[in-house]
Amino acid sequence: MTSMTSDADRMLPSREPVMLLDPDGRPTVAARAGLPASEELLRGLAGMVVARRFNEQASALVRQGRLAVYPSSYGQEACQVAAAQVLTGEDWLFPTYRDTAAAVARGVDPVEVLGLLKGDWHSGYDPYERHVAPLTTPLATQLPHAVGVAHAARLRGERTVVLAMCGDGGTSEGDFHEALNFAAVFRAPVVFFVQNNQYAISVPLARQSAAPSLAHKGVGYGIPGEHVDGNDLAALLDVLSGAVGRARAGEGPQLVEGRTYRMQAHTNADDATRYRADDEVAAWAAKDPLVRLEAYLRTEGVLDDARAADLTEAAEQVARRTRDGLNQDVEPDPDDLFRFVYSQPTPQLVEQLAVVRDEISRDEQSRDEQSREETR
C-alpha cells in the first residue's frame, strides 16, 4: 500500500520559533547560517518606521472623527513589512482588516488604504494596481479567494505566488480549513501567513486552539508549517522568503505562523484592560521589533543618527500626506451605489438608480424653492 504524498517529518515546524535576532538585537545561534543582507534589513527598518508612524497617525484620525474605526497593527510592524517585502510585482497579497501597514508597504497609497475605514469607497483602492486584495472585515473569507487566485495562476503557467494573511482568530474559522485543504489538494502556490498576536479580540489563544502551535495545523492537510518570532524582521524575511520560493518552485502551499503581539486594543472601540494585564503588555513591549532591528543595524555600523533621522522624516511625510488626504471631505456620487455591482446593470438596479435620481432631483428642487422663498 502506498503512503500519502507528503513527508510528515518535513511538515513539522521547528521545536521553537525561528529567531535570528534576540530582543536586544544580538544574533542568535541560528543566525550562524546567515542573516538577510544588510540592505534588505535596512529596507525593512525603513518600512517598519513608516508602519509605526502610520499606525499612530491613523489612531489619531479616529480620535479626530476622520476615521470610523481603526484596527491597529502597532507592535506587529515586522510581520506587516516582511509580508510585503518578500513578494515580487507579479505576486499577490491578500490582507486582513488589520493589515493596513502591509498594504502601504506594498505600495498602496496610504490615503486610499484608509478609504474603507472612513466609509468613502467600496475598497478604497484598485486591487489590480499593486496586486493587493481589498481589506475586508469578515474573518478568513479572503483565504479561499487567495487560493483561487493562486490556483488560477498555476493553471495558466504563471510564476505568481499569493501570500494570504490572517490572525490567530481566523484559524478558528471554517474558511481557513477549507482554504488549506483546497490549496494542498491542488498544490496551489500560496503561502498562508498567520499573525498570532495572542488574542482574537478578547479571547486568548489558549481558548482557541490546543495545538502545540498554529504552524502545526498544516500537518493535517499535507502542508509544511513553520513558526517564527514575529517581532524579528530578519527571521521573518528568511522564513517567508523561503516559503515563497518553495511555493513558486511548485512545492505547493506553505504555512507560516509569526508569533507577535497586538500592543494596542483590538480597535478604538475595545478596552483591552478588561482582559489582559499591564505586565503582560510590558513584557511584549520589551520585544519591540523596531528597537530590536535598529540595535543590530547600529552595532553593525549600517545605521547612524543621520540615517535614522532620514527614516523618521520619510515616515513623517507619509503621516502628513495621510493626514492631509483624510482631512479632505469627499463629495459622494450616488451613482456609485449601483455602478460597480455588476459589469452590466440588471433591470432592478436600473430601476433603483432611477428612483434615487428622482428623489435627489425632487429634494434639490425643494431646497431651491425654499431658498427663493427666503430671499423674497
Side-chain angles (χ1 to χ4, degrees), residues 94 145-155 160-162 187-191:
F94 273 72
H145 301 165
V147 175
V149 170
H151 182 50
R154 179 174 178 269
L155 292 177
T160 300
V161 172
V162 176
R187 298 186 66 79
V190 57
V191 176

Side-chain angles (χ1 to χ4, degrees), residues 20 38 55 214 270:
L20 299 184
S38 294
N55 274 311
L214 296 178
D270 173 43

Side-chain angles (χ1 to χ4, degrees), residues 288-366:
D288 190 308
L290 277 78
V291 174
R292 181 184 307 200
L293 184 57
E294 180 176 343
Y296 170 75
L297 292 176
R298 284 185 178 275
T299 301
E300 293 298 302
V302 178
L303 183 70
D304 57 20
D305 289 344
R307 181 165 284 184
D310 289 341
L311 299 183
T312 300
E313 176 54 30
E316 191 56 47
Q317 290 178 13
V318 173
R320 189 179 303 115
R321 188 166 72 249
T322 303
R323 183 170 59 249
D324 292 344
L326 269 294
N327 281 332
Q328 294 180 11
D329 292 324
V330 177
E331 187 67 33
D333 182 353
D335 285 12
D336 285 344
L337 289 169
F338 309 94
R339 184 172 286 136
F340 302 108
V341 180
Y342 295 103
S343 59
Q344 294 295 327
T346 64
Q348 292 87 353
L349 282 177
V350 172
E351 181 181 353
Q352 292 169 17
L353 174 58
V355 170
V356 170
R357 285 176 173 173
D358 180 63
E359 290 180 352
I360 292 174
S361 176
R362 286 189 283 109
D363 184 58
E364 290 175 345
Q365 291 176 6
S366 176

Side-chain angles (χ1 to χ4, degrees), residues 15-337:
R15 289 186 176 274
E16 296 295 330
V18 177
M19 180 194 297
L20 299 184
L21 296 176
D22 70 15
D24 294 321
R26 296 172 300 203
T28 65
V29 173
R32 293 175 181 172
L35 286 164
S38 294
E39 55 268 25
E40 283 298 298
L41 294 177
L42 186 60
R43 176 187 167 199
L45 178 63
M48 287 199 293
V49 173
V50 169
R52 175 65 57 88
R53 186 66 185 91
F54 180 73
N55 274 311
E56 293 170 345
Q57 184 61 74
S59 295
L61 287 166
V62 173
R63 295 190 294 271
Q64 296 164 12
R66 286 296 177 177
L67 287 180
V69 67
Y70 184 68
S72 176
S73 59
Y74 192 106
Q76 299 178 219
E77 290 90 354
C79 290
Q80 299 281 297
V81 170
Q85 193 164 328
V86 298
L87 300 179
T88 67
E90 65 186 346
D91 297 329
W92 273 85
L93 178 70
F94 273 72
T96 73
Y97 57 86
R98 193 177 301 281
D99 299 324
T100 50
V104 172
R106 182 73 169 149
V108 181
D109 185 281
V111 176
E112 294 182 351
V113 166
L114 296 176
L116 176 70
L117 299 173
K118 186 180 181 182
D120 284 344
W121 196 233
H122 300 290
S123 168
Y125 54 88
D126 179 1
Y128 293 95
E129 182 180 358
R130 298 288 183 176
H131 284 194
V132 178
L135 292 146
T136 53
T137 53
L139 284 184
T141 55
Q142 78 280 4
L143 299 183
H145 301 165
V147 175
V149 170
H151 182 50
R154 179 174 178 269
L155 292 177
R156 290 194 294 261
E158 299 171 354
R159 288 177 48 79
T160 300
V161 172
V162 176
L163 193 149
M165 305 175 76
C166 75
D168 49 292
T171 66
S172 299
E173 297 289 330
D175 303 75
F176 173 82
H177 302 277
E178 292 159 5
L180 263 65
N181 194 57
F182 188 101
V185 170
F186 291 94
R187 298 186 66 79
V190 57
V191 176
F192 297 99
F193 181 30
V194 180
Q195 291 179 90
N196 176 8
N197 64 13
Q198 310 303 316
Y199 287 92
I201 308 182
S202 61
V203 181
L205 182 63
R207 299 295 299 273
Q208 301 178 62
S209 174
S213 76
L214 296 178
H216 280 78
K217 290 184 178 290
V219 176
Y221 300 101
I223 298 177
E226 186 57 276
H227 51 178
V228 56
D229 187 326
N231 286 9
D232 179 1
L233 183 84
L236 284 162
L237 291 177
D238 183 63
V239 172
L240 285 174
S241 62
V244 168
R246 289 189 296 274
R248 200 184 309 281
E251 296 184 28
Q254 314 287 313
L255 174 63
V256 176
E257 173 194 356
R259 293 192 180 181
T260 183
Y261 195 75
R262 192 194 74 219
M263 293 299 299
Q264 298 182 341
H266 175 68
T267 69
N268 54 290
D270 173 43
D271 180 5
T273 62
R274 298 178 61 185
Y275 54 83
R276 64 185 191 186
D278 290 343
D279 56 352
E280 176 184 308
V281 179
W284 277 95
K287 304 174 184 179
D288 190 308
L290 277 78
V291 174
R292 181 184 307 200
L293 184 57
E294 180 176 343
Y296 170 75
L297 292 176
R298 284 185 178 275
T299 301
E300 293 298 302
V302 178
L303 183 70
D304 57 20
D305 289 344
R307 181 165 284 184
D310 289 341
L311 299 183
T312 300
E313 176 54 30
E316 191 56 47
Q317 290 178 13
V318 173
R320 189 179 303 115
R321 188 166 72 249
T322 303
R323 183 170 59 249
D324 292 344
L326 269 294
N327 281 332
Q328 294 180 11
D329 292 324
V330 177
E331 187 67 33
D333 182 353
D335 285 12
D336 285 344
L337 289 169

